[in-house]
Amino acid sequence: MEKTPKYRRVLLKVSGEALMGDQAFGIDGPTVERIASDIKEATLLGVQICLVVGGGNIFRGLSGAAKGIERATGDYMGMLATVMNALALQAVLERAGLTTRVQSAIPMRTVCEPYIRRRAIRHMEKGRAVVFAGGTGNPFFTTDTAAALRATEMGCDAMLKATQVDGVYSADPKIDPAAERYDKLSYHEVLTRDLKVMDASAISLSRENKIPIVVFSIKEKGMLSSVLIGQGRYTLISE
Ligand code: UDP
């Protein structure tokens, strides 16, 4: 099998939900280990990888707002949750044999590096996987938007959105068995059909900067590497 990667540098967006496994909250050890081994395998293809990690498995600003916590404060709590996930992912990635750095958009200098664009690029050039934490550092944004932003800043050839299903569907396939699956979509189609894959600002930012988005299932072992060599099942969102 031809194993030449299609991409030189990619950003992988891992949501908090992906780290949860079958649990209802938090971080599931075996799930994170499986994701880390997939990432390790992908780096062996020679692809430079950086990651944006979500925080929804621990805290979301909107759920805080429902409990009477001001939205912006809740959002900062959500951003702090992404730092916890990033540290967990870093620990497991390093156990899998990768060299990593965590950079947070909210400086936390005793815990991890602050986000410095040129430094992050240098880490990747040296073969380190960089995990971006803290989202964009601003309330009222999401880690999907942070992923589109960092992918652009890092000069990535693609943004890989790890989900629980094998691509983009017209409706949630877990709820609607008649949902249609797409192999390819344009940014415009995702926006006008209001497809729930990433929020509109993440899609717009990717469109403006011509970053293709590859949506695939992180639940399937080895799928990340398959996607990187242009095989496997995924939905490609591009112009
Ligand atoms: N968040 C934020 N600004 C950002 C990124 C995240 O305020 O730039 C907050 C927001 O409250 C969000 C939470 O962090 O609900 C967790 O991020 P997200 O929901 O994107 O995580 P995911 O769904 O990927 O697990």
Side-chain angles (χ1 to χ4, degrees):
M1 186 168 73
E2 181 64 55
K3 285 220 166 165
T4 312
K6 274 180 74 180
Y7 309 106
R8 180 188 50 95
R9 179 182 293 161
V10 297
L11 183 139
L12 175 66
K13 163 72 207 289
V14 181
S15 65
E17 195 190 11
L19 306 178
M20 223 159 51
D22 293 326
Q23 299 183 160
F25 176 85
I27 301 165
D28 179 50
T31 303
V32 182
E33 263 168 41
R34 204 188 40 68
I35 295 174
S37 85
D38 273 9
I39 294 170
K40 163 83 188 181
E41 190 184 295
T43 58
L44 296 177
L45 293 168
V47 181
Q48 293 180 16
I49 294 199
C50 55
L51 297 104
V52 163
V53 64
N57 56 324
I58 301 173
F59 198 84
R60 281 184 203 280
L62 277 175
S63 54
K67 292 182 191 125
I69 298 170
E70 191 187 354
R71 170 73 191 269
T73 302
D75 279 343
Y76 279 112
M77 292 168 71
M79 288 184 260
L80 294 179
T82 71
V83 180
M84 287 198 231
N85 283 335
L87 295 178
L89 202 52
Q90 173 177 49
V92 181
L93 284 170
E94 299 226 318
R95 229 178 23 241
L98 280 176
T99 312
T100 65
R101 293 290 185 272
V102 172
Q103 290 200 347
S104 172
I106 299 175
M108 244 180 260
R109 74 195 167 83
T110 50
V111 173
C112 58
E113 293 182 5
Y115 172 65
I116 300 172
R117 188 182 71 88
R118 293 174 60 120
R119 194 165 180 184
I121 292 173
R122 193 76 193 106
H123 285 322
M124 278 189 281
E125 286 169 351
K126 289 184 178 169
R128 298 171 184 150
V130 184
V131 184
F132 296 115
T136 64
N138 300 292
F140 306 103
F141 284 90
T142 63
T143 52
D144 278 353
T145 305
L149 176 65
R150 296 289 184 246
T152 306
E153 289 184 276
M154 292 300 117
C156 291
D157 308 310
M159 166 160 59
L160 273 48
K161 161 94 176 167
T163 65
Q164 305 295 306
V165 289
D166 59 356
V168 182
Y169 285 78
S170 55
D172 185 345
K174 288 181 190 155
I175 297 168
D176 181 357
E180 185 192 348
R181 183 183 172 281
Y182 306 103
D183 276 332
K184 270 184 169 193
L185 285 164
S186 67
Y187 303 109
H188 182 74
E189 284 168 329
V190 175
L191 291 171
T192 51
R193 294 185 203 168
D194 197 21
L195 297 171
K196 304 275 178 265
V197 48
M198 293 187 113
D199 53 71
S201 43
I203 301 287
S204 305
L205 200 56
S206 306
R207 172 163 75 174
E208 234 169 79
N209 296 292
K210 302 191 170 48
I211 306 226
I213 305 170
V214 182
V215 184
F216 72 103
S217 169
I218 194 76
K219 284 189 126 174
E220 270 177 71
K221 174 116 198 69
M223 188 53 79
L224 175 60
S225 293
S226 300
V227 165
L228 288 171
I229 57 172
Q231 295 174 2
R233 265 171 87 73
Y234 57 86
T235 298
L236 177 68
I237 305 169
S238 58
E239 205 55 82

